Amino acid sequence: MTPIDPRRLATAFVDARTPTLADVLAFVASEPDLTPTRRRDLASGLRRVAKAIGWAVGDTPTDPIWLRTRIARVVPADIGMSPKSWANAVSDARAALAAFGIVERRRAPSTPLTEDWQDLWQGLLTLDDRSLTIGLGRLVRFLSRIGVDPADVSGVHADWFREAVEMNELRKNPAEALRAATFAWNRAIGRVPGWPAQSLTVPRSDYTYVIPLPCYPPSFAEDLERYAQSLAHPDPLDPDARTAPMRPASVANRRGLAHRFASALVHAGVEPGQIRDLATLVQPDTARRGLTWLLERKGNETSQGIGDQAIALAQLARRYVRVSKTVQDELDGFARRLLPARAPGLTDKNRERLRPLEDPATLRALLLLPERLAERAKMMDGVAAAREMEVAVAVAILIAAPIRRKNLVELHLNRNLRRLRGGKAVLVYDASEVKNRRSLEIELPKETVALIDRHLKIYRPHLVPGGTDWLFPRRDGQASIEPGLLAKRVCATIRRDLGLEINLHLFRHIAALTWLRAKPGHYEVARRLLGHAELSSTLNAYAGHEAGTATRLFAEVVDAARRGDAR
């Protein structure tokens, strides 16, 4: 069989009549209404976008959906551009496509709204809630422009909004834009005077096959709850029970795996009424049926998720249902065969995200980011300044003390932050608060402590009422902030300022690799820094990553020996 050019496959579903970026370039070069400077900027934007996605301008179709999926994969730091320069390049490319007639020209936010929408919008602005104005601004202008009255808005119009974003945007994710807009719409109900009472369905961010619990016999939900309780509160006198209680998040995960496997069985043809308890799930024939459906759903290839599901079934059978040895051996066999082999060390995805930080200038920019955000906060007011400073504090702590996300988010000022002389402090976590049940102590430098104190004194009062003891509190001050919310804001800020894709957990890898590149082979310090219980965990994750540094140091030693240097 003659091999086919992968680029032909990449454009197989693009209409062959679709113009290319070269066509748009030619149009821009000859457009009399453009000034020479504007003509240069638009042409530069088109060329930069084509180069960033790795296509020649003559081969790059102007289909917005095709372009957006590839633009979304671009990390500015990887192509030697700042986030702002990359955003400008995409904006110029979009403007060129708009001039050519591929996408709609942007409408200024000041474009008049219809009278009904204008009244609602003014009421919304009085709340001074940026989450509502940002979430709803584009949707409101869209509905006003197409002539939909507020009282008539329905899910159909939400679908139209998503289609419009899909056809006219190069960077915005249509699904996320719709989620943000519908979520903000529902929050506005009851808060904005006169806002329409009809709610909009917030679309799910991913496909789910889970069948709601009420579809099963009540005995299944009751057994599922008993199972969750046995994980959270194991019987200390039961020799087959866990020796320590599971954390709430782990209990929820196991509960969810059992529920999802029951749903897989339903999709595989088992009637929901036949699933009366958890013992049904671990019968070998039934387990095989559900696992087969999950495999077929993934193209008959296993995955980490399927392997985790098989392991959960085996553990459910061993510790809760208490099946016979023959049945247990069969379920254990499923788990062994379905768990995909995983090479030791970092995943390919994490390696890709860490690669830009091999550049000392990029790493330094990340390490200096807290100071940069703190300076920016000085030029901002109220809640906006406090939110910027909150992210600065989170990043500063992760750089100085690469703790896990849960420990960062739930940092309690009285329990976990112990003050020392000289402006320093120590983060202290009891064994019960740490994932591996090992107590943890990490000293914070005085610069980080000073940043925390400035935030607590000047900025945090704009976010929460006084008296809360959480460093990152929920906005009512009664508990710590939701982990995903803080994580999302930190990641978005790093992406905005540095063009890097870094999640909170990646700071642990950054800390370990930064240390090992400076001190090759010093794994014990890395282990203590990360709080690993066993040195093998550190070795498995990072062994060999400092090889380049070790080679360089060895070359220096050899060179010194050649010169007769006795160092």
Side-chain angles (χ1 to χ4, degrees):
M1 180 182 294
T2 303
I4 187 170
D5 184 351
R7 300 203 168 216
R8 287 183 59 193
L9 296 178
T11 56
F13 294 109
V14 177
D15 192 322
R17 297 167 294 180
T18 302
T20 67
L21 292 190
D23 297 320
V24 182
L25 269 174
F27 169 80
V28 167
S30 62
E31 177 54 44
D33 293 337
L34 296 174
T35 65
T37 300
R38 187 60 175 154
R39 187 178 294 118
R40 180 200 65 202
D41 290 344
L42 298 189
S44 174
L46 291 168
R47 292 191 181 98
R48 285 187 168 193
V49 166
K51 182 178 180 180
I53 65 175
W55 282 63
V57 291
D59 297 329
T60 308
T62 55
D63 180 88
I65 298 175
W66 189 94
L67 283 170
R68 184 174 55 252
T69 57
R70 285 152 181 83
I71 288 173
R73 301 173 192 156
V74 175
V75 177
D78 285 350
I79 57 174
M81 295 179 68
S82 69
K84 181 174 176 57
S85 297
W86 173 239
N88 288 340
V90 176
S91 179
D92 287 337
R94 188 197 181 283
L97 294 177
F100 191 76
I102 298 294
V103 299
E104 287 285 325
R105 294 181 183 273
R106 292 199 188 280
R107 304 282 171 165
S110 58
T111 302
L113 300 173
T114 61
E115 184 176 349
D116 288 342
W117 282 113
Q118 184 63 35
D119 291 343
L120 289 175
W121 189 250
Q122 288 303 318
L124 186 149
L125 292 178
T126 61
L127 297 178
D128 193 25
D129 187 336
R130 284 177 56 81
S131 66
L132 290 180
T133 54
I134 292 174
L136 285 169
R138 194 173 181 84
L139 176 63
V140 166
R141 290 195 298 274
F142 169 76
L143 295 171
S144 174
R145 187 180 173 201
I146 65 174
V148 178
D149 292 332
D152 296 333
V153 175
S154 68
V156 171
H157 303 114
D159 291 339
W160 290 355
F161 171 72
R162 172 175 174 156
E163 290 177 16
V165 173
E166 194 166 62
M167 290 187 292
N168 292 286
E169 290 296 342
L170 297 185
R171 296 195 73 184
K172 289 185 180 295
N173 182 311
E176 289 305 312
L178 179 58
R179 280 177 57 81
T182 51
F183 183 73
W185 176 281
N186 294 340
R187 285 187 62 226
I189 298 173
R191 297 189 63 197
V192 179
W195 196 267
Q198 68 272 21
S199 62
L200 298 177
T201 301
V202 179
R204 294 186 64 89
S205 59
D206 56 0
Y207 168 73
T208 179
Y209 59 85
V210 175
I211 308 296
L213 279 177
C215 297
Y216 303 93
S219 57
F220 176 72
E222 293 166 1
D223 200 23
L224 191 60
E225 186 58 35
R226 285 193 294 272
Y227 174 54
Q229 289 299 316
S230 74
L231 297 174
H233 308 287
D235 183 354
L237 300 179
D238 184 348
D240 294 322
R242 292 179 55 85
T243 57
M246 272 191 175
R247 295 179 177 277
S250 299
V251 172
N253 178 57
R254 291 294 180 84
R255 192 178 189 278
L257 284 169
H259 184 188
R260 288 197 293 276
F261 191 71
S263 301
L265 289 174
V266 173
H267 287 287
V270 177
E271 288 294 327
Q274 297 177 11
I275 305 175
R276 298 186 174 278
D277 53 26
L278 297 183
T280 307
L281 308 185
V282 296
Q283 298 305 312
D285 289 345
T286 307
R288 182 187 295 275
R289 187 170 182 177
L291 292 170
T292 298
W293 182 84
L294 290 172
L295 283 168
E296 290 175 347
R297 181 170 173 262
K298 292 291 186 180
N300 288 318
E301 290 188 8
T302 192
S303 65
Q304 188 66 43
I306 294 175
D308 290 344
Q309 181 70 82
I311 290 173
L313 284 176
Q315 293 178 344
L316 170 66
R318 178 178 291 106
R319 297 190 182 276
Y320 184 73
V321 179
R322 314 292 174 88
V323 298
S324 67
K325 184 179 184 305
T326 302
V327 171
Q328 188 65 57
D329 288 345
E330 191 161 357
L331 293 173
D332 289 343
F334 292 161
R336 284 194 302 272
R337 291 191 290 274
L338 291 178
L339 189 64
R342 179 178 173 181
L346 301 176
T347 64
D348 291 342
K349 187 174 184 180
N350 281 335
R351 289 174 187 271
E352 284 298 316
R353 290 181 170 181
L354 288 166
R355 190 163 288 119
L357 295 172
E358 294 176 5
D359 174 23
T362 302
L363 177 60
R364 185 169 184 270
L366 175 64
L367 300 180
L368 293 177
L369 182 60
E371 298 174 23
R372 180 176 176 178
L373 297 178
E375 287 300 312
R376 184 182 298 153
K378 292 179 181 178
M379 299 180 287
M380 304 166 74
D381 297 317
V383 172
R387 287 167 59 87
E388 194 81 358
M389 194 65 169
E390 191 173 52
V391 172
V393 169
V395 174
I397 292 174
L398 289 170
I399 290 172
I403 53 181
R404 293 180 174 88
R405 184 176 84 163
K406 180 177 184 292
N407 295 129
L408 173 73
V409 173
E410 297 182 1
L411 199 158
H412 193 277
L413 293 171
N414 294 328
R415 186 173 62 247
N416 303 123
L417 189 65
R418 307 285 175 82
R419 302 284 179 164
L420 302 175
R421 292 180 180 179
K424 296 183 179 181
V426 176
L427 290 181
V428 178
Y429 291 94
D430 184 76
S432 63
E433 299 178 276
V434 183
K435 180 181 178 182
N436 61 5
R437 304 288 176 177
R438 297 293 183 97
S439 59
L440 185 65
E441 291 189 15
I442 302 180
E443 184 176 320
L444 293 178
K446 60 183 181 181
E447 293 82 8
T448 302
V449 179
L451 199 68
I452 293 172
D453 289 341
R454 196 192 324 165
H455 175 59
L456 294 175
K457 181 179 180 181
I458 300 173
Y459 296 96
R460 199 182 63 162
H462 292 286
L463 297 175
V464 294
T468 180
D469 290 325
W470 306 98
L471 179 57
F472 303 107
R474 207 169 62 190
R475 295 314 179 229
D476 61 5
Q478 299 302 306
S480 59
I481 193 172
E482 197 279 316
L485 183 59
L486 181 64
K488 185 175 182 179
R489 287 176 46 216
V490 169
C491 296
T493 299
I494 294 173
R495 188 183 306 115
R496 177 197 69 192
D497 278 53
L498 305 178
L500 301 172
E501 291 294 332
I502 295 179
N503 55 41
L504 299 194
H505 189 78
L506 205 69
F507 276 95
R508 292 173 59 78
H509 299 318
I510 293 169
L513 294 177
T514 301
W515 167 256
L516 290 170
R517 284 168 186 155
K519 303 288 185 180
H522 289 223
Y523 287 100
E524 176 58 22
V525 175
R527 182 193 73 79
R528 292 175 180 271
L529 181 65
L530 299 178
H532 286 164
E534 303 293 339
L535 182 61
S536 59
S537 299
T538 314
L539 287 168
N540 287 339
Y542 304 111
H545 283 277
E546 80 283 25
T549 305
T551 302
R552 175 177 56 78
L553 293 175
F554 177 69
E556 292 176 0
V557 170
V558 171
D559 187 54
R562 286 172 176 163
R563 297 195 310 269
D565 192 337
R567 285 186 301 172

